[in-house]
Amino acid sequence: MTAVSDPSILDQMPMRDGEGNIRPEFVEAISRAVQSADTVFLCEIVGELHEADLGDLIEALEPDERVRLIELTKADFDFSALNEVDDSVREELLEELEPETVAEGVRDLDSDDAVELLEGVDEDVQDEILEKLPLSERVAIERSLTFPEDSAGRRMQTDFIAVPPDWNVGQAIDYMRETPDLPERFYEIYAVDADQRWQGAVSLDTLLRARRPVPLADLIDEDRRRVSVLDDQSDVAHLFGKYNLVSVPVVDPENRLVGVITIDDVVDVIEEEADEEVKALGGVTSDEELSDNFLTIARARFMWLLINLATAFLASSVLGLFEGQLEQMVALAVLAPIVASQGGNAATQTMTVAVRALATRQLNPNNAVRIITREALVGLMNGIAFALITGIAAYLWFKTPGLGIVIALAMITNLVAGALGGILIPMALDRVKADPAVASGTFVTTVTDVVGFFSFLGIATLWFGLK
């Protein structure tokens, strides 16, 4: 007869509902357990939860309960969960927890997770925590923290398997079987010389298919793609996507093997880059989090709104140039925003595609002329289509025959201008090493507003002979 194991706490009290949201009853139960210091219950819960779920639970609790939960569960708490929460929540927790508590949790983490956990905290707090770590772990983390932010050196883990190139397959397999502290996940082993300089890589599937006496030298891939500790993390992510990699070795400027980056790290990079781009397109700083207070968010958004206000005044100044014409023909004031708005929408479509193409390197000098021409033709085609629609609508609305022709010509002009501005401005910003996602929106909108107002009112002035 097969024994049936007792259901776990999570089976009896599920964390999430059918739609994947955290159940309020679950959070309330954890909150009560924290307040009553029910250590046994809490340790069993955090022991069963995946690090991502534990991170979600941390964010769902009140600030004082978060710290208390970690203190009560101690060794059972997986500190990698803190890499799953908002930056502001993580920094607040690390500042409130005792350095000994954090150091104890960091000891069980992979080096890349430990670096990610500590890189955002104040230097004083960081130093206190590092002082509590064993020397070997402290040196590895401190070295990674010296590399530039968003570099491969920050993302790599320093646990990998390196063997001499003169070993055979049997020696390499025996070494892995007998070594207790292997990396949690690995996909290949690396060959290095006595000075730790890179010699090549052997994938696990190749290794396990070979017979034991076969020399590793016969299996080593000397041309294996690798990255430098100074390479930007977005470049590394692009390499993974282009060549379908699951891991890549990291070398220092002297070609010494110092770490490895795996696909799970790259997924995090891709998510971060996408998050930054989406926020930048909306004029929001990349470090804004849902957990930030309203004063922090207001200060961060103020400058961008101020820049937008300045550009709005610039666009409105075009209307001032045609003040007399607007007074003579009220219909112009009614229809002018339609031309500007439609051009802005078309430009935003083009800009979004262009910014993404630049980020993924699909848009480059080799195809730039073709893509620019294509976008201009798209703008022209849509301009003609909407010229007919708005021209007929303007005539039916104001019963002025020439007004439909004027707005039609302006619509074509502005949609073509919007298409060109939507791709040329991001390309120009990228050329001068500025982030196209951050600055393109304001400039593109200004172009379409200025061109829209000027073309519509200028054509109307000539057509109707206004002064």
Side-chain angles (χ1 to χ4, degrees), residues 35-284:
Q35 293 170 12
S36 62
D38 188 348
T39 305
V40 174
F41 172 77
L42 292 174
C43 286
E44 188 169 350
I45 282 289
V46 301
E48 290 186 23
L49 287 175
H50 185 275
E51 62 194 56
D53 293 324
L54 186 53
D56 289 343
L57 174 60
I58 287 289
E59 289 190 329
L61 294 172
E62 294 297 324
D64 57 328
E65 294 174 343
R66 297 166 181 166
V67 176
R68 186 66 177 146
L69 172 64
I70 297 173
E71 291 175 339
L72 287 170
T73 53
K74 295 180 181 177
D76 291 292
F77 185 84
D78 184 356
F79 266 71
S80 61
L82 297 188
N83 286 333
E84 304 293 333
V85 303
D86 285 351
D87 291 346
S88 56
V89 173
R90 178 168 60 251
E91 291 168 16
E92 182 180 322
L93 282 170
L94 294 178
E95 288 175 1
E96 292 187 19
L97 289 168
E98 291 296 326
E100 292 84 358
T101 302
V102 179
E104 190 65 34
V106 168
R107 285 179 191 149
D108 297 326
L109 300 181
D110 290 335
S111 57
D112 56 331
D113 291 331
V115 170
E116 183 181 355
L117 186 68
L118 298 177
E119 63 183 355
V121 300
D122 291 339
E123 193 170 333
D124 293 341
V125 177
Q126 190 181 98
D127 290 341
E128 282 188 68
I129 296 170
L130 289 172
E131 286 176 3
K132 308 295 181 183
L133 293 175
L135 181 60
S136 59
E137 294 180 26
R138 182 170 74 245
V139 169
I141 294 173
E142 286 177 337
R143 182 178 61 175
S144 293
L145 288 170
T146 62
F147 296 121
E149 189 176 357
D150 296 334
S151 67
R154 284 285 186 99
R155 282 290 176 181
M156 70 181 184
Q157 62 183 55
T158 55
D159 297 325
F160 52 85
I161 300 175
V163 299
D166 56 358
W167 278 12
N168 60 31
V169 170
Q171 287 175 294
I173 292 175
D174 290 341
Y175 172 76
M176 287 187 287
R177 286 173 175 166
E178 295 166 5
T179 302
D181 297 325
L182 292 178
E184 184 177 346
R185 291 186 184 88
F186 59 96
Y187 308 95
E188 55 194 0
I189 65 174
Y190 304 113
V192 296
D193 63 16
D195 295 321
Q196 201 70 8
R197 285 187 172 82
W198 164 265
Q199 301 295 306
V202 180
S203 62
L204 288 183
D205 59 312
T206 300
L207 184 73
L208 295 176
R209 286 191 179 104
R211 296 186 178 278
R212 291 180 63 87
V214 174
L216 284 183
D218 294 349
L219 307 177
I220 289 174
D221 180 5
E222 297 178 355
D223 299 322
R224 175 75 166 85
R225 297 188 184 279
R226 54 193 184 277
V227 298
S228 166
V229 289
L230 301 178
D231 287 347
D232 188 90
Q233 63 178 14
S234 61
D235 295 334
V236 176
H238 177 73
L239 191 72
F240 268 76
K242 186 172 183 177
Y243 296 105
N244 298 320
L245 304 175
V246 292
S247 66
V248 65
V250 184
V251 296
D252 67 10
E254 284 73 43
N255 204 37
R256 290 190 296 261
L257 181 65
V258 292
V260 60
I261 294 178
T262 53
I263 187 63
D264 58 313
D265 302 313
V266 172
V267 170
D268 291 339
V269 171
I270 294 171
E271 290 180 349
E272 288 176 13
E273 298 284 340
D275 182 61
E276 289 178 6
E277 286 181 14
V278 170
K279 288 179 178 178
L281 285 170
V284 178

